[in-house]
Every structure is written in C-alpha cells, then in structure tokens.
Amino acid sequence: MKTSTPSTCPYCGVGCGVLIESEAGRITGVRGDPEHPANRGRLCSKGSTLHLTARPELTPQVRLLQPQQRSTRTGSAQPIAWNTALDGLAQRLASTVRQHGPDAVGLYVSGQLLTEDYYAFNKFAKGLLGTNNIDTNSRLCMSSAVAGYKATLGADAPPACYDDIAQAATLFISGANPAWAHPILFRRIEDAKRANPALKIIVCDPRRTDSAELADLHLALKPGSDVWLYHGMLRCILEQGWLDERFIATRTQGWTALAALVAQATPEAVAQHCGIAPAELLQAARWFAGVHDGHITQATRQPTLSLYCQGLNQSAHGTDNNTALINLHLACGQIGKAGAGPFSLTGQPNAMGGREVGALANQLSAHRNLADAQHRAEVAALWGVPSVPAQPGKAAVEMFQAAADGQIKLLWIACTNPAHSLPDQTLVRRALQRAEYVVVQDAYATGATARYADLLLPASTWGEKEGTVTNSERRISRVRAAIAPPDLAWADWRIVTEVARRLQPLLPSRAALPSLFPYDGPEAIWNEHRESTRGRDLDITGLSWAQLEAAPRQWPCPEGQSQGLARLYTDQHFATPDGRARFALQLPASVAEPTDARHPFALITGRLRDQWHGLSRSGLVENLWAHASEPRAELHAADMVRLGLKDGDLAYLTSRRGSIVAPVQESSTLAPGQVFLPMHWGDEALGGASSTGRRLAGVNALTADARCPQSLQPELKHTAIKVLKAELPWGLWAQAWLPLAQVQRVRQQLEALMEQFPFASCSLFGRAEQGSSVQGCGVQLRAAAHQAVDEALVERIAAILGLQGAGLLAYRDARRGQWRRARLEAAGKAQQLQAVLLAGDVSAQAWIAPLLQERLDAQPLRRALLQPGAQPPQPLAPRGATVCACEGVGENSITGLLKACEGDAPTRLQRLKAELRCGTQCGSCVPQLQRMVQASMAAA
C-alpha cells in the first residue's frame, strides 16, 4: 500500500517540508509539501532527489548496518552485538573519567541531528559526564551569527521571517549565495522581484555568483573587507542625514562611540580596502537606509532586509562582521517591522535546534549563559543533578587540538565528518590518530572519519527518524519516519540514552541519582526541552507535540499562546537588561592570512548548486554530479594565461599547511588573484598522495584554523595559496556503467587506490529517472602521475571496472606506458560503450566521454576507441555540459534551440522551458539559462 508521510528536508536551513512516498517498507518518491510554510511545495535539486539516496540497492553498500569494532586502529572493523558495543563504550567512558577526569572526553556532534538527539547529547555531556567538552559542526557555520545577535540585540534570535522577503524594498545579501546555498529561499527572492520590479537587490560578494546576477548592485568587495564596507556605508548614512535619530536616541546604546569610529571609513579608505567605488558605496548606503526618492522621513523610509551567511560567519572576524551589519540596521531603524531586519540564514537543517538546546561548548539549554551561576543552577535543577560544570568546554577546533596534544583521550563523533570538514586537516588527522579511543556514530560508513574509528555505531537517517528541527525563521517542524531503519541502525537519541543508562551506575557522583535518561521516545525528550525554555526568549511552553503534528510553529510561543511570533522586536524592546539594543564597536581588519609574494592567491571556498557538504548523502545521486562532474578550481582568465593553464589542466594548490592537486577551470565570476574551490571535495572525491607518500586530504588540507575570538568560528572562507602548473604527463581516465547494486562498492574500491597517484579524483555520472528502463549508474576515475605507473595497478583498476576477459577492445604498449580498453554491448541495432580505460595518453576522453555517457551508437567508432587524439574521427552531437540537472538538459541543446529563437529575453526563456523543460522544476538553473539567453541575443 502506498503511503505519503509529511516530514522535513535534511539539507539546508530553509527547512522545506516534504512528502515522502513509500510502499512496502521502501521510499519510492518525494514531493514538496504544499502545506508547509517554508517552501509551499517547492524543492531544490537536492531535496527533489532525496528518495534516490534511500534506494535499497545503495543501503548495503554505504550504510552502517550494525555496530562494528576494530581491535587495532589499522585493522578491519568487525561486527559486534549492540549490548557488547554499549557495555564496552560505557566501561571505556567510565575508565577514562576515573583516570583522567571528565574533560578527557570530547563529544563532537552535528547540525544535522534532530533537536531531541541534540538535547540527549548535551545532557549526557554536561549533566552525566560533567564536562562542557561538547561542540557541534554548527560552530563552523553559525556561531558568529549567534555571537553577533547576542552582542547587539541581546539574544540569539533571528528577528525576521521568510515573508519579509516579499515586504522588503531593499534586499541586502551579504556573504551569501542563496541561489545555490538556499535555493528555495532564492525562488522567493525571484518572486519578489517579479512582483515588485522596484525592489532593489544588493549583493556583496567577491564572486559574481548566480545571486549577484539578479542584483541591481553587485559590490565585489575584497575578501575580509566586510567591516570596512559597512562602516563606509554607515558613514555615508550619517553624513547624508539618513539616520533614524529617534530610534537611536530611544532604543539603543553606544551610538556616539560608533559614530566616531566610522569616521575613518571615508570613501577613499573603503575604495582602498574593499575595492568599491565611492558612487557604489553611496548607492548602497542610500538603498540600505530606505531612501528611494531623494529624501527621508519616518513615513517614507522603505524597509531593508539583510540576508547573510558563511561569507560573514566563516571569518577570524566573524562576530565583528555580524555586529557591523546589525549596526546599520539599528542606525536606520531597519528592524522590528515587516520587510526589515538582519536575517542570518542557517547553514544546516537543525543548527538552530542545536543552539536552542545549548549543545555548544560555551552554552547551556534554552540560550542560557554558561558563565551565569543562576543559569547553571536552573539547568542542574531541571536535570536533577547537583551541578553542571562552569568552565567552558573545548570548541570544535580546540577539541581536536586538545586530542592532538593528548589532553582529550576519547572522542565521540556523531553525524559529522571532521576528517573532511574541519580546517587544517593535518592537525585533525593527527588528533584522530593520537586519541586513545574514537567512536563514530553515523548512518554512513563511507566518511573519511570512519577510517579512524575504534567503534562504529549505526544510526538511522532521513526517512527513518522521528523528532523536530528548527529552520532559519525559528519555525519548528516535525520530522517523521516513513520506513523503519535498516537492520540494526538506531535513532541517535536512543543510542545516547542506552549508553547513559549503562554509564550512570559506573559514575560515583551520579550513581545514586534517579535515572537521568528515562526517555521512551523523542516526544518525552522534547517535552523536557520545552520545559527548559519556560520564561526564556525562545519560550515554547505554549506548544504541544500534538500542535506540531498539525502544523509547524515558530518560537517564541509561551504558555497561553498557540501561534508563535513571525517577527521579533516589533515593540522595539530588545532582549537586553534595559531593553535597548547595543551598537557594537569593531576595528576594521582584513583576512587572517593575507596573500603575499609566496602565496599570492586568495582561495575562496563555497558551495556547489547541487551538492551538500561532504557528499555522504547527495553524492549518492548520480543526477547531482551532472552540473559539476568532478572537482575543479576556478581561476580568472588572466591568471590562467599567466600560469600557462587551460581548462582541465592540473595545478598544485599550496598553502602554509598543505598542498593538493586539482584540475583548473577558467571563470568569469572571479577577480584576478582569486581562486574558488568548493567545500565538498574531501579525499573521498579529490585525492592522491604527496611526494612523501602521505594521503592528500582534500580542500581542507589548505584551510587555516584561525578563529574569531568571540565566536571561535574558523576562517574557512579564505586562505592564501600559491598555484603552480602540475607537470604530470602520464594520465589515466576510466568510465563505466555499472549496476546500481555495485556502483558504490566499485567507487570505494577505486577511492582506496587513489593514493597510488599524485593526483586522482573519483565521481559519478548518469541520470536516475522514475520508471526508466535504463538501469545503472556511471563511475569515473581520473588520475595522473609523473611517469607510467606499474602495470599491475592499471590491471587492478581494469578488473574493478569489468575490463578484463574476452570480448574487449584492447591495446597495450607497456614499454611506453600506454593502455586502452573498451567494452561494448549490443543495444538493438546499435552498440553502446559500457566501459573504457585510457592510460598514458588520455586526450581521447574529450570525445569518448559523451559517447559513453549519452549512450550514443559506438559501432562506427570501434577502431577509433583505441586511437589517441582529442578529435573524434567523425562528428558527434553530444548534449554538452549539463545545465538543468532535474531534466538532464545540456548546454548544446539549449544553444541549438536559442539559435532558432526570436523575441525578447522572457520570450526566449519561456520557449526553453516549454520545449526542453529546463528550469521548470527546482529553478536552480534559471540564472544560467538567463545568461545563455542574453549571450545568444548579443551574438545575434
């Protein structure tokens, strides 16, 4: 029987509602929930393919399905029973606490946990173990936003809501690319612009992103110069008389000191530090202040809404970036009303929920202050323990530094992959190696961190979990299970609870207390969390589990109310002791690691349109690789020429901490001297080995651990690097269609061989379609070396891809290091290429790849498959690079249709949608389609 289960998307912080379709214990589809206020039925490319991550053919290949243990760190993990795993972990924790104290334990958890999971982990650390050494990967994305809100408004509470997008007269998007990072929110921005063409959109970003394409003003500021920009805007607003002086006088503190400070941010200084022209600065200040017709009064001031994310947060000055932007809102009274306010966009699906329960090293439940004795007493009383520790714990980077130094002996890591996501991977991997005991609790067995685990605990994941999450606009949604977890996977809260029940009798300070973990399900945990919020800024005592079952609700919603507040501070009373907001003072600064003669390039990290974080989930979907089929470092055209590089060439990217090798690609979105490399490429997808034989660690081998002193958030966004062309003349390239039930195991086998080369990358291709008769998924390996590798390694790769035995096309010249193999299969009257391997000269991949990937007839080209050369022996008609991942539409198809189009840009775009269906689903490709339309009109 088919069922439809309402739940929530597990990707970004927009918090989209989904309807999970399932039948006979199998997830078969997913749709946007038209009743959910966050997305109103829309889904992005990632959310709309969630069901493909749950295909039963993938489960045995990628999931942790039962507890496993290693007897030695380098040995293979062996299955064990749950009771054995839980008893052993409890004993190990007790023994670590007895010998070294509770601070010898560190728990590193995730913004992808549900609120109930988060609450259980936080209580386990601070209430049972007695350590504040619990932190979350939300430290890497949202802690500067938290610190900024608290320093200025008094509480970690985003004051705006999604509906404000349609109410704003100006949207100020700074340090964010919602077109790719929050696509469904960007659809609202596009809707608002269509409904109100007078809406002004300002985008502040060093790169000309898809978000910037929609902007009326793109401020391409230099990396790290955000405070200079905001101070310069504020100085203009002050000089032009655009301040809200009544609001400043009655609702704020600290204006006089800030006004004196921003005097140094002259237009000339801003131009020097930011690269922003004085006219652009003045225009941005005018629109931000709400001045659209040349003068300003309280009645005529137009509302401005800021949207910001990691570009501000992931900085050694992240808190200053946030508070300087909020200062602008306070100076203009742009807060507490429809269409106005500083609105931080949450990175992960439940980073907000983790903040609510206090699951950070320097927080307590319900936004309580760890340094406040009364707050600590309140939490201790709620939990029924004598006390909670007062000393702040180790934040994310500090925790791994402490493990590397031998201070933390036991690491428990849940639902995150620090061997990919943390900066300075040399340090992180040293920590994982030196820790005496490492526990990894995860749904997936494929993350880099799992290689270091002594104990692996299988957790349930999306589609199998029950609980709640909170999105960027403070909206709490139910997460529901459509199917049972596979095999022996458990809910995260249950694992923590079962370990706690075993551990409590082993701890003398807790043994005599009533059970601290009496929970029989997520509702019981949520009820305790709800009580912890009573009287707090995020009070949800007016909500019940039944109300959340009926519909998502926003906080605060205290007892006596049934609906939460959409907007905060509408009464102009802030969450400070005197009710006044605080202007914060910041000294403008630059990036933590400036470029210099040895490291002259600014590396900027960011997201891809169709992928998520470390690829453990989104990387399972072959469709989502189409837009970016392999890791690429983007450079400006002038830098490519100067370095002697062309698209697809390999280059060394080297920082002060490490080096990687990556293919390069020319980009028009960057300024000279900048490099863009997406954050997703860990060593599972972008690998190889150094000259000393050490495995390369992906993009975060380069990034630095410099941190904001207030928020402790690392500066992941920027690193100084040098770029040199990699002279690796011998190449290997292989592609194969494989059964879905094999492709992930094959991919893992290939990944294990990547460190045999100085450079290697491994990715997927193909297109899974509902009801399609074409089965299988494609896998690609690309590698390069200084000279031909041992023939046995080539044979090993060929065997993995099914390129051994009879019936193959084959060429071998071992003396020259040249091998070519191909396997074709009949497809009606045609023959299709099923697998190919080129080693030595791999230039023919340029035409063989589309021949294989698009399943074109290869019969006329059989002999040519074994010949070198980038040009096909006869013309082919491939689709070209994928533009629309949802419909699988390539750029050649779009370009061809545009040549026959007439009319204005909207007419041409509509024809593309009507005839090719590109841009008709999630809409993420529409900015690229619009650029292609404009280019075709200019060329006509």
Side-chain angles (χ1 to χ4, degrees):
M1 178 179 175
K2 293 182 179 180
T3 60
S4 180
T5 305
S7 191
T8 310
C9 178
Y11 286 122
C12 75
V14 174
C16 295
V18 297
L19 298 174
I20 308 173
E21 299 168 354
S22 60
E23 186 175 8
R26 173 179 177 175
I27 293 175
T28 57
V30 66
R31 295 180 288 120
D33 184 349
E35 301 300 319
H36 199 289
N39 59 315
R40 301 166 185 164
R42 287 169 159 169
L43 288 178
C44 73
S45 59
K46 298 182 290 294
S48 62
T49 55
L50 271 168
H51 60 294
L52 299 177
T53 70
R55 288 173 287 184
E57 296 91 341
L58 298 178
T59 297
Q61 301 178 71
V62 301
R63 292 290 298 273
L64 272 173
L65 298 175
Q66 58 186 331
Q68 297 179 24
Q69 185 169 279
R70 289 187 174 95
S71 57
T72 62
R73 186 65 60 80
T74 57
S76 60
Q78 301 299 317
I80 57 174
W82 263 115
N83 280 336
T84 303
L86 297 170
D87 290 343
L89 178 53
Q91 293 285 351
R92 188 81 190 213
L93 284 161
S95 126
T96 301
V97 171
R98 280 196 304 270
Q99 293 180 47
H100 307 288
D103 288 339
V105 178
L107 290 88
Y108 187 57
V109 297
S110 167
Q112 295 174 67
L113 292 172
L114 305 190
T115 299
E116 296 71 28
D117 304 325
Y118 252 138
Y119 187 92
F121 266 116
N122 192 46
K123 184 177 181 180
F124 181 90
K126 296 168 183 173
L128 180 57
L129 279 178
T131 179
N132 287 322
N133 281 348
I134 177 170
D135 214 49
T136 161
N137 58 17
S138 301
R139 178 74 63 184
L140 309 182
C141 68
M142 299 312 300
S143 53
S144 291
V146 172
Y149 278 141
K150 291 172 71 174
T152 53
L153 309 181
D156 172 21
C161 64
Y162 295 162
D163 287 345
D164 283 319
I165 292 171
Q167 302 293 321
T170 296
L171 289 176
F172 188 77
I173 303 171
S174 192
N177 181 18
W180 284 16
H182 299 90
I184 298 308
L185 211 60
F186 196 69
R187 303 286 84 77
R188 288 191 184 228
I189 295 172
E190 292 171 328
D191 291 345
K193 186 68 170 176
R194 279 191 295 270
N196 176 22
L199 170 67
K200 302 303 181 185
I201 299 176
I202 305 170
V203 172
C204 310
D205 197 306
R207 300 167 55 227
R208 187 165 183 83
T209 63
D210 274 9
S211 298
E213 290 287 338
L214 188 64
D216 299 280
L217 178 62
H218 173 214
L219 300 177
L221 74 169
K222 296 176 183 178
S225 63
D226 307 85
V227 172
W228 274 108
L229 172 64
Y230 304 150
H231 278 195
M233 291 171 61
L234 188 51
R235 186 181 192 274
C236 288
I237 291 168
L238 171 62
E239 290 183 339
Q240 296 296 325
W242 297 333
L243 296 171
D244 188 332
E245 295 181 352
R246 184 199 61 80
F247 184 89
I248 292 172
T250 61
R251 305 312 320 151
T252 70
Q253 283 189 6
W255 168 249
T256 302
L258 179 62
L261 179 63
V262 302
Q264 66 179 306
T266 63
E268 295 75 21
V270 172
Q272 176 187 349
H273 291 282
C274 302
I276 302 299
E280 293 178 323
L281 180 68
L282 183 62
Q283 183 66 274
R286 177 189 297 274
W287 287 345
F288 192 102
V291 182
H292 287 241
D293 58 0
H295 65 280
I296 186 71
T297 67
Q298 285 298 107
T300 62
R301 188 185 298 274
Q302 299 296 302
T304 294
L305 181 71
S306 292
L307 302 173
Y308 53 98
C309 198
Q310 309 309 359
L312 268 63
N313 297 340
Q314 289 180 336
S315 164
H317 313 286
T319 302
D320 286 348
N321 294 341
N322 277 261
T323 57
L325 177 55
I326 296 172
N327 283 344
L328 278 167
H329 281 273
L330 297 177
C332 301
Q334 294 281 17
I335 191 170
K337 57 186 179 183
F343 194 0
S344 70
L345 301 180
T346 311
Q348 296 195 78
N350 200 31
M352 185 76 76
R355 291 147 64 179
E356 292 165 7
V357 305
L360 287 167
N362 56 342
Q363 291 185 351
L364 285 175
S365 297
H367 292 176
R368 287 179 173 86
N369 185 354
L370 186 65
D372 189 315
Q374 179 60 36
H375 286 185
R376 295 197 304 273
E378 290 171 1
V379 173
L382 175 73
W383 287 346
V385 297
S387 64
V388 293
Q391 186 68 25
K394 303 291 187 187
V397 174
E398 295 174 330
M399 186 180 297
F400 284 84
Q401 286 176 331
D405 292 341
Q407 298 171 27
I408 288 180
K409 310 292 183 180
L410 189 153
L411 283 169
W412 187 348
I413 299 162
C415 197
T416 186
N417 188 13
H420 168 274
S421 58
L422 281 171
D424 192 359
Q425 279 295 306
T426 299
L427 168 73
V428 173
R429 293 170 186 229
R430 186 166 68 246
L432 291 167
Q433 291 166 343
R434 185 166 184 189
E436 294 178 1
Y437 202 70
V438 176
V439 182
V440 170
Q441 176 174 319
D442 209 314
Y444 295 99
T446 52
T449 309
R451 298 195 294 261
Y452 299 88
D454 298 285
L455 180 66
L456 292 151
L457 302 177
S460 55
T461 188
W462 176 85
E464 307 158 4
K465 302 188 73 165
E466 292 281 346
T468 63
V469 293
T470 308
N471 72 356
S472 293
E473 62 171 352
R474 297 170 281 105
R475 190 178 299 278
I476 305 170
S477 296
R478 279 281 279 114
V479 174
R480 297 178 180 89
I483 60 173
D487 292 9
L488 297 178
W490 285 8
D492 289 285
W493 68 264
R494 182 185 175 191
I495 297 172
V496 179
T497 295
E498 291 294 340
V499 175
R501 289 171 177 169
R502 287 162 169 80
L503 178 61
Q504 186 173 343
L506 303 178
L507 298 176
S509 64
R510 301 292 188 260
L513 299 175
S515 173
L516 300 181
F517 287 78
Y519 315 120
D520 58 0
E523 182 178 356
I525 302 175
W526 185 83
N527 284 335
E528 186 172 305
H529 161 58
R530 178 184 63 181
E531 183 58 32
S532 78
T533 69
R534 187 177 295 276
R536 304 293 301 159
D537 64 288
L538 70 165
D539 193 327
I540 55 171
T541 52
L543 297 180
S544 67
W545 194 259
Q547 286 174 305
L548 294 179
E549 281 287 342
R553 297 289 199 278
Q554 287 174 283
W555 61 256
C557 186
E559 192 169 24
Q561 298 181 13
S562 60
Q563 295 293 330
L565 290 178
R567 298 177 184 89
L568 305 183
Y569 313 127
T570 55
D571 59 357
Q572 299 187 352
H573 188 277
F574 296 93
T576 57
D578 61 4
R580 289 173 174 250
R582 306 306 199 238
F583 285 106
L585 301 182
Q586 316 84 15
L587 292 176
S590 185
V591 293
E593 190 173 86
T595 57
D596 58 24
R598 290 182 58 83
H599 299 90
F601 285 90
L603 173 66
I604 302 169
T605 65
R607 295 182 185 273
L608 289 173
R609 191 187 75 187
D610 299 335
Q611 293 289 7
W612 174 254
H613 283 202
L615 311 178
S616 56
R617 177 182 282 114
S618 65
L620 301 176
V621 182
E622 53 270 38
N623 306 41
L624 299 182
W625 290 86
H627 187 245
S629 60
E630 67 174 349
R632 290 287 177 104
E634 298 180 13
L635 288 88
H636 188 274
D639 292 326
M640 295 275 283
V641 171
R642 183 167 55 83
L643 295 169
L645 294 167
K646 60 183 184 299
D647 281 0
D649 282 352
L650 298 174
Y652 293 104
L653 279 59
T654 304
S655 74
R656 293 173 175 85
R657 286 150 300 283
S659 182
I660 61 173
V661 181
V664 297
Q665 178 176 307
E666 181 183 317
S667 173
S668 61
T669 68
L670 297 161
Q674 295 177 352
V675 179
F676 175 69
L677 185 62
M679 59 175 281
H680 313 287
W681 307 128
D683 69 0
E684 303 96 329
L686 175 60
S690 68
S691 58
T692 60
R694 187 177 68 181
R695 183 170 182 159
L696 301 181
V699 61
N700 281 319
L702 307 178
T703 52
D705 63 4
R707 301 181 293 286
C708 170
Q710 290 86 20
S711 69
L712 302 179
Q713 183 162 355
E715 187 162 283
L716 283 163
K717 271 290 176 186
H718 178 273
T719 301
I721 64 168
K722 59 183 174 183
V723 180
L724 296 173
K725 185 174 183 179
E727 299 296 342
L728 299 171
W730 187 91
L732 183 145
W733 173 81
Q735 286 188 341
W737 288 107
L738 297 163
L740 187 60
Q742 297 177 15
V743 69
Q744 290 298 329
R745 293 202 191 282
V746 166
R747 180 181 170 190
Q748 292 157 28
Q749 290 174 316
L750 294 175
E751 287 173 10
L753 299 176
M754 283 164 52
E755 58 187 304
Q756 303 295 316
F757 302 92
F759 158 77
S761 69
C762 190
S763 57
L764 300 183
F765 63 88
R767 178 169 171 75
E769 298 182 82
Q770 194 78 20
S772 172
S773 60
V774 178
Q775 299 298 313
C777 175
V779 64
Q780 170 178 284
L781 176 70
R782 182 182 175 191
H786 298 283
Q787 58 191 13
V789 300
D790 189 273
E791 185 173 4
L793 179 56
V794 178
E795 289 293 344
R796 173 64 179 145
I797 294 169
I800 291 171
L801 295 175
L803 283 166
Q804 284 185 333
L808 300 176
L809 298 176
Y811 170 83
R812 173 180 178 273
D813 185 343
R815 184 176 63 86
R816 297 182 178 179
Q818 302 289 323
W819 293 270
R820 299 184 186 90
R821 290 190 188 175
R823 177 164 54 84
L824 292 87
E825 292 183 4
K829 295 183 179 180
Q831 284 195 327
Q832 292 179 348
L833 187 58
Q834 296 297 310
V836 63
L837 182 150
L838 308 178
D841 181 349
V842 297
S843 58
Q845 68 172 294
W847 63 270
I848 294 178
L851 184 71
L852 183 144
Q853 292 183 20
E854 299 177 26
R855 300 181 185 270
L856 304 177
D857 184 7
Q859 172 64 29
L861 301 166
R862 284 177 59 92
R863 292 186 178 182
L865 291 172
L866 301 183
Q867 298 172 5
Q871 295 299 318
Q874 65 184 54
L876 299 175
R879 292 193 308 264
T882 297
V883 175
C884 177
C886 296
E887 294 294 329
V889 183
E891 62 181 13
N892 291 348
S893 301
I894 296 167
T895 302
L897 180 56
L898 284 173
K899 289 179 180 178
C901 284
E902 295 181 350
D904 60 12
T907 300
R908 297 180 188 218
L909 178 62
Q910 189 55 42
R911 185 172 174 187
L912 289 178
K913 292 182 176 182
E915 297 190 24
L916 300 179
R917 291 190 53 76
C918 49
T920 61
Q921 299 302 312
C922 78
S924 294
C925 65
V926 170
Q928 187 173 355
L929 293 175
Q930 291 171 328
R931 289 195 297 272
M932 296 179 75
V933 166
Q934 293 295 337
S936 72
M937 295 176 68

